[in-house]
Amino acid sequence: MATFKDISKLKRKSRALYRKQNITGMGVGFKHTGGQKTDKPSLVILVSRKQRESELSRRNRIPKRINGIETDVIQAGQVVAQSGRRTRLRPAEGGISIGHPNVAFGTLGAVVRDAATGERLILSCNHVLADHNNAEPGDLILQPGDADGGEPDEDTLAHLVRFVPLYFQTDAASTGSPSECKIARCMAAVLNAPAVLIGCQTRLKAVYNKPINFVDAAVARPLSEDMLKDEIRDMGAVRVRRN
């Protein structure tokens, strides 16, 4: 079964799908069948209006599988970009298009201060600035994002500093480490006892799985301080709280 990381890579390689009629976005998620969520990871394709296959030309039909990975078509309605948010803006502010070169686009969340150094940094999501854990510190950050016309030579705003790693549900089951919980280990031993008596080679193992995610965040350092302003579009200046 494909992992979310596999699907994220496929999503980056499938931007040609945007040429099809009706498609407004793509993402990664669990496939829905008959209105119910399944446990199958899929490439989620958002459309403004869901149509029967017979209503679409062959060119505009979405494959049920791409490179062996299932697709899931979801009606999301018409998506309209707000004026001025997709263009190049200097100084940059919260609420506008930004992203790692391998990411179509995302949103600049806000300008924040590093608690240790006091320097101003750009705050956004891991999946926007760090490409679902695939980026490295020092990678370029474009404003506007790639799909909004951002070019590395002209529109580099910052460099990635650090990010909180994302853990995917499919990763947790395969990367569990031995549990330190005495109760869990004791229960596993008790439940394994019958297997020992009958000669069964299968055993239960108490493991500790990392929490999935508490935050989706990353920060980037601007090329210069004057390229940022402490405001969020349509909301105004951000107040700095000092302890």
Side-chain angles (χ1 to χ4, degrees):
M1 182 182 293
T3 66
F4 283 131
K5 186 170 288 188
D6 295 331
I7 301 172
S8 293
K9 292 179 180 178
L10 175 64
K11 181 168 72 75
R12 294 197 301 272
K13 297 176 181 178
S14 301
R15 293 179 187 170
L17 288 174
Y18 283 112
R19 298 172 188 163
K20 294 181 182 292
Q21 180 183 351
N22 231 8
I23 293 181
T24 59
M26 286 190 288
V28 179
F30 290 107
K31 184 176 178 63
H32 287 72
T33 301
Q36 299 296 316
K37 188 176 77 171
T38 71
D39 61 355
K40 295 180 180 178
S42 67
L43 176 64
V44 177
I45 300 176
L46 305 178
V47 296
S48 56
R49 184 172 69 88
K50 204 165 183 177
Q51 297 172 274
R52 293 188 180 91
E53 191 173 282
S54 60
E55 297 177 310
L56 296 166
S57 66
R58 186 180 298 274
R59 178 181 179 181
N60 287 314
R61 291 174 187 172
I62 298 170
K64 290 182 169 50
R65 288 177 175 270
I66 300 176
N67 293 351
I69 293 174
E70 291 191 59
T71 59
D72 189 14
V73 181
I74 295 178
Q75 180 169 304
Q78 191 64 42
V79 178
V80 180
Q82 297 296 313
S83 176
R85 295 177 186 270
R86 301 174 61 184
T87 58
R88 188 179 192 275
L89 183 65
R90 301 291 184 274
E93 61 186 359
I96 62 174
S97 174
I98 197 173
H100 187 280
N102 290 337
V103 175
F105 52 77
T107 304
L108 194 162
V111 176
V112 296
R113 264 73 172 176
D114 187 295
T117 66
E119 68 177 327
R120 298 162 77 224
L121 300 173
I122 293 166
L123 172 67
S124 188
C125 300
N126 172 313
H127 69 268
V128 173
L129 299 183
D131 187 23
H132 296 87
N133 303 337
N134 292 309
E136 296 184 359
D139 281 4
L140 303 182
I141 303 300
L142 307 181
Q143 195 293 307
D146 177 77
D148 286 331
E151 296 288 346
D153 292 340
E154 300 177 3
D155 302 307
T156 296
L157 173 67
H159 293 279
L160 180 65
V161 176
R162 58 183 178 273
F163 56 89
V164 179
L166 291 176
Y167 297 104
F168 300 103
Q169 189 165 354
T170 51
D171 295 338
S174 60
T175 59
S177 56
S179 175
E180 296 181 1
C181 176
K182 293 181 180 179
I183 296 176
R185 293 204 306 268
C186 181
M187 288 297 297
V190 170
L191 294 173
N192 282 329
V196 175
L197 293 175
I198 65 175
C200 178
Q201 299 302 309
T202 301
R203 297 289 186 274
L204 295 174
K205 182 180 179 181
V207 299
Y208 169 77
N209 284 328
K210 296 176 180 178
I212 300 303
N213 294 294
F214 291 110
V215 64
D216 179 358
V219 290
R221 180 179 293 112
L223 299 185
S224 64
E225 285 268 331
D226 60 1
M227 298 179 79
L228 297 179
K229 64 178 178 179
D230 299 329
E231 294 184 12
I232 298 177
R233 177 66 63 92
D234 299 330
M235 294 180 66
V238 177
R239 295 182 181 180
V240 179
R241 180 177 179 179
R242 302 187 184 281
N243 294 327

